[in-house]
């Protein structure tokens, strides 16, 4: 907990930023104290990432004040921001894959010994020292290629520490991390705070915000709403500040009548990835697929849909065999997959919102090979409004949407195909609390209309709240199948972590 008189390292006051006609920031303010972890939260599109990008020197503000250590600053490049002691760790770091870990950390500022020769030994030694201090084990000589996202983030942090950054900003850093990896990141964040640095932490997960942060600032529609010590607020209060209204039930699951089997998976095996996976998804049913990150859940989903191969087993949809490795065939047969990494796998970044949403139903919309804009827009508008991708014109280029709104567009695209069976991988990752319940309501409603849904989720409350039946995977195998009535966080977690103890 920072003392109230700790120096303010970063101060933003009434910052304004527009992109053409879009006002991203109306009046954003933030005061970051040394030795504190400050949460920045708000709905998708509230302006969090834009504010961060101004601090990082990627964008320049139109108006307002921006001070670092009491000095007025106006960065015109990321290099200036770095030199001034600011480090930003993004959800997906951008290391140079061919360079070693050490080379990445010393990118652009190699240590030189006498006669100006590059001193590799000194650099390597410094990296080892940094890793020990951060409590992580990564080989300094290995290439960055193939490192987990969590390790890549740690390398970015090590780089920040070696540059002695006084402000560290993490924009949704945990979105792609497993629980253990997130815990390691939090431990590092706490130790950096205790050294007197200021940290900003952006997340849509309240459990993380409450576990990690000292102070929280809420933004809404590009404006500052409130700053509160974390000990003096509650999730309910923060949600009210974020959305400006009362948000009711988070998981409004409808009771449904479960019908005939739609998707039948038998003995699916891909050596080293998953083994002997069998399950059924029936009409009207939401089947949750729980487990730790890395348990093989996404891999099973991709294999079932046909984007990945498998060696043994069968996939049947409404009694019809789906051949392996044929996603188009699977789609025509009535299967859809909303991938985990929607930005990379599901979005045409330089196309408009409307075009992205109707992407997968263009055949259906076309009359004699022609699609009228009116028809396309009408179809797109229905889904855009259901998912609250609001206030965007349908021709807004997807690249300029906030992260969470991009997620919603891809979700809309697959829902528009009205599949018989929908596989959703982390359906609400990166999506704010207000829309989260909307996504849940929608999934529940679709199941009510007879769709079969396989929902992969790492969030236990989501699984327990939404699923009629929970399958748990651990190390590539299904270790438990638990009915809704019997599912608890304890038994799901137990199956996710302990069930195959007899093998080890
Ligand atoms: N380069 C850009 N061009 C046009 N509009 C932009 C650009 N960058 C951001 N915006 C708009 O600014 C607003 C704020 O976006 P921002 O990415 O800051 O939101 P966010 O709070 O980070 O949301 P999320 O939680 O979804 O990540 C959005 O309406 C977004 O579409
Ligand atoms: Mg963002």
């Amino acid at each position: 907990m920072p003392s109230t008189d700790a120096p303010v390292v970063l101060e933003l006051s009434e910052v304004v930023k527009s992109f053409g006609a879009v006002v991203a920031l109306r009046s954003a303010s933030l005061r970051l104290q040394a030795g504190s972890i400050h949460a920045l939260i708000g709905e998708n599109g509230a302006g969090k990432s834009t504010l961060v990008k101004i601090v990082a020197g990627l964008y320049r503000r139109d108006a307002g004040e921006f001070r670092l250590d009491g000095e007025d600053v106006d960065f015109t490049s990321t290099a200036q921001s770095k030199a001034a002691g600011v480090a930003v760790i993004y959800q997906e770091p951008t290391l140079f894959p061919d360079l070693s870990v050490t080379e990445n950390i010393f990118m652009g500022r190699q240590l030189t010994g006498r006669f100006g020769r590059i001193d590799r030994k000194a650099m390597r030694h410094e990296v080892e020292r940094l890793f020990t201090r951060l409590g992580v084990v990564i080989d300094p000589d290995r290439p960055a290629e193939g490192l987990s996202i969590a390790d890549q983030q740690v390398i970015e942090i090590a780089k920040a520490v070696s540059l002695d950054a006084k402000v560290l900003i993490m924009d949704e850093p945990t979105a792609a991390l497993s629980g253990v990896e997130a815990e390691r990141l939090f431990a590092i964040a706490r130790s950096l705070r205790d050294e007197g640095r200021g940290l900003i932490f952006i997340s849509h997960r309240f459990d993380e915000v409450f576990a990690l942060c000292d102070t929280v600032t809420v933004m809404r529609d590009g404006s500052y709403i409130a700053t509160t010590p974390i000990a003096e607020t509650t999730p309910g209060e923060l949600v009210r500040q974020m959305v400006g209204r009362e948000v009711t039930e988070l998981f409004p699951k409808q009771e449904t009548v479960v019908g005939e089997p739609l998707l039948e998976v038998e003995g699916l095996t891909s050596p080293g990835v998953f083994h002997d996976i069998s399950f059924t998804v029936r009409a009207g049913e939401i089947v949750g697929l729980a487990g730790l990150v890395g348990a093989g859940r996404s891999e099973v989903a991709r294999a079932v849909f046909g984007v990945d191969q498998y060696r043994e087993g069968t996939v049947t949809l409404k009694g019809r065999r789906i051949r392996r490795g044929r996603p188009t065939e699977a789609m025509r047969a009535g299967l859809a997959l909303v991938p985990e990494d929607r930005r990379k796998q599901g979005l045409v970044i330089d196309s408009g919102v409307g075009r992205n949403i109707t992407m997968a139903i263009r055949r259906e919309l076309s009359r004699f090979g022609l699609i009228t804009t009116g028809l396309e827009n009408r179809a797109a508008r229905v889904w855009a409004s259901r998912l609250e991708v609001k206030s965007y014109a349908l021709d807004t280029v997807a690249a300029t949407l906030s992260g969470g709104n991009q997620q919603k567009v891809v979700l809309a695209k697959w829902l528009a195909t009205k599949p018989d069976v929908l596989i959703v991988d982390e359906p609400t990752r990166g999506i704010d609390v207000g829309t989260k319940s909307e996504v849940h309501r929608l999934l529940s409603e679709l199941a009510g209309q007879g769709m079969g849904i396989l929902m992969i989720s790492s969030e236990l409350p989501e699984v327990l709240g939404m699923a009629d039946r929970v399958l748990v995977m651990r190390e590539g195998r299904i270790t438990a199948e638990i009915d809704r009535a019997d599912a608890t966080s304890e038994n799901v977690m137990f199956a996710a972590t302990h069930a195959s103890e007899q093998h080890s």
Side-chain angles (χ1 to χ4, degrees):
M1 191 84 222
S3 60
T4 41
D5 52 0
V8 174
V9 276
L10 167 70
E11 184 165 22
L12 295 148
S13 181
E14 296 175 18
V15 171
V16 178
K17 176 70 190 175
S18 297
F19 299 96
V22 180
V23 187
L25 300 177
R26 282 168 213 284
S27 174
S29 302
L30 183 76
R31 269 167 60 93
L32 173 67
Q33 288 184 296
S36 76
I37 306 180
H38 197 125
L40 180 60
I41 65 172
E43 285 186 289
N44 297 133
K48 305 177 296 292
S49 296
T50 304
L51 194 63
V52 165
K53 286 174 186 162
I54 288 173
V55 178
L58 276 165
Y59 295 153
R60 285 179 79 183
R61 66 192 192 278
D62 301 334
E65 285 163 37
F66 173 13
R67 278 189 286 272
L68 257 181
D69 268 339
E71 303 265 332
D72 286 313
V73 283
D74 182 17
F75 298 138
T76 54
S77 71
T78 52
Q80 285 179 2
S81 164
K82 271 186 202 135
V86 175
V88 184
I89 285 97
Y90 295 99
Q91 193 174 316
E92 277 164 43
T94 44
L95 300 178
F96 293 91
D98 303 335
L99 298 186
S100 75
V101 167
T102 302
E103 285 164 330
N104 267 288
I105 290 177
F106 282 97
M107 193 70 215
R109 49 179 188 106
Q110 275 141 342
L111 292 186
T112 47
R114 276 167 50 192
F115 315 117
R117 295 237 320 256
I118 295 174
D119 193 341
R120 291 187 191 285
K121 245 187 165 162
M123 293 198 297
R124 193 182 187 288
H125 189 73
E126 170 67 10
V127 170
E128 279 178 340
R129 208 180 54 81
L130 281 168
F131 285 169
T132 310
R133 187 162 146 204
L134 296 175
V136 295
V137 184
I138 301 171
D139 175 6
D141 297 323
R142 61 159 295 162
E145 169 118 67
L147 280 171
S148 69
I149 288 184
D151 282 346
Q152 294 183 43
Q153 286 175 342
V154 167
I155 288 162
E156 295 276 9
I157 292 173
K159 188 171 178 174
V161 173
S162 78
L163 284 165
D164 203 26
K166 24 181 200 299
V167 174
L168 265 98
I169 307 176
M170 300 190 269
D171 193 349
E172 295 191 47
T174 58
L177 304 192
S178 67
V180 179
E181 292 169 334
E183 277 308 323
R184 182 182 68 170
L185 182 70
F186 293 169
I188 293 172
R190 288 188 188 104
S191 75
L192 297 176
R193 170 191 62 191
D194 297 342
E195 290 173 3
R197 300 172 210 272
L199 286 86
I200 295 175
F201 178 74
I202 298 178
S203 173
H204 287 291
R205 301 194 52 175
F206 282 1
D207 52 344
E208 297 179 347
V209 167
F210 278 87
L212 182 67
C213 303
D214 310 300
T215 313
V216 53
T217 290
V218 178
M219 288 181 71
R220 183 168 78 229
D221 294 335
S223 295
Y224 168 85
I225 299 295
T227 296
T228 326
I230 207 80
E232 289 169 25
T233 188
T234 61
E237 178 65 27
L238 293 179
V239 171
R240 269 192 296 282
Q241 292 173 343
M242 277 171 64
V243 299
R245 63 184 152 85
E246 210 69 46
V247 172
T248 44
E249 246 185 310
L250 209 50
F251 307 107
K253 174 84 173 79
Q254 293 177 0
E255 288 302 319
T256 55
V257 186
V258 173
E260 85 272 24
L262 292 179
L263 174 68
E264 289 165 285
V265 174
E266 259 307 312
L268 220 59
T269 298
S270 177
V273 188
F274 49 80
H275 193 84
D276 198 16
I277 303 292
S278 302
F279 63 87
T280 303
V281 179
R282 298 183 181 80
E285 189 182 37
I286 300 181
V287 177
L289 188 50
L292 302 179
V293 172
R297 298 167 302 163
S298 300
E299 288 75 7
V300 167
R302 292 167 54 84
V304 168
F305 187 61
V307 280
D308 285 354
Q309 287 289 343
Y310 49 91
R311 186 186 290 173
E312 281 162 46
T314 58
V315 176
T316 316
L317 196 75
K318 291 187 291 179
R320 241 179 77 191
R321 274 285 290 276
I322 308 266
R323 290 180 292 171
R324 72 188 74 180
R326 308 283 175 97
T328 322
E329 195 176 300
M331 249 172 80
R332 283 203 197 118
L335 190 63
L337 168 70
V338 183
E340 177 179 27
D341 187 351
R342 291 183 266 276
R343 205 188 144 99
K344 273 204 203 114
Q345 297 175 10
L347 204 65
V348 179
I349 209 85
D350 51 9
S351 275
V353 167
R355 178 57 58 88
N356 266 290
I357 293 176
T358 53
M359 192 85 57
I361 51 166
R362 293 179 67 75
R363 270 165 50 101
E364 204 180 300
L365 285 177
S366 66
R367 301 271 180 280
F368 311 111
L370 283 175
I371 305 179
T372 65
T373 317
L375 207 58
E376 182 171 8
N377 284 352
R378 222 172 305 143
R381 204 166 290 129
V382 172
W383 290 101
S385 72
R386 289 186 82 168
L387 283 161
E388 308 204 351
V389 191
K390 51 191 167 199
S391 71
Y392 288 111
L394 291 176
D395 60 359
T396 308
V397 175
T400 69
L401 259 54
S402 78
N405 281 309
Q406 291 178 343
Q407 304 271 41
K408 293 184 209 166
V409 167
V410 180
L411 204 52
K413 162 180 154 184
W414 290 109
L415 291 180
T417 65
K418 301 208 195 76
D420 296 303
V421 174
L422 176 72
I423 307 177
V424 272
D425 198 348
E426 304 288 358
T428 61
R429 174 173 293 167
I431 288 182
D432 63 56
V433 277
T435 314
K436 216 170 184 171
S437 58
E438 202 54 38
V439 170
H440 290 149
R441 202 176 58 82
L442 203 59
L443 291 177
S444 182
E445 205 177 289
L446 292 167
Q449 291 162 9
M451 192 185 282
I453 297 176
L454 180 67
M455 181 186 78
I456 300 176
S457 173
S458 300
E459 287 194 42
L460 273 179
E462 180 164 275
V463 171
L464 298 174
M466 294 296 295
D468 294 295
R469 197 149 49 84
V470 183
L471 303 171
V472 189
M473 273 186 77
R474 178 183 187 264
E475 291 178 0
R477 290 169 193 270
I478 292 182
T479 52
E481 176 169 350
I482 311 169
D483 263 340
R484 179 178 180 81
D486 304 325
T488 63
S489 28
E490 289 75 26
N491 59 18
V492 172
M493 269 320 279
F494 189 83
T497 52
H498 289 84
S500 58
E501 223 157 44
Q502 64 269 31
H503 298 295
S504 54

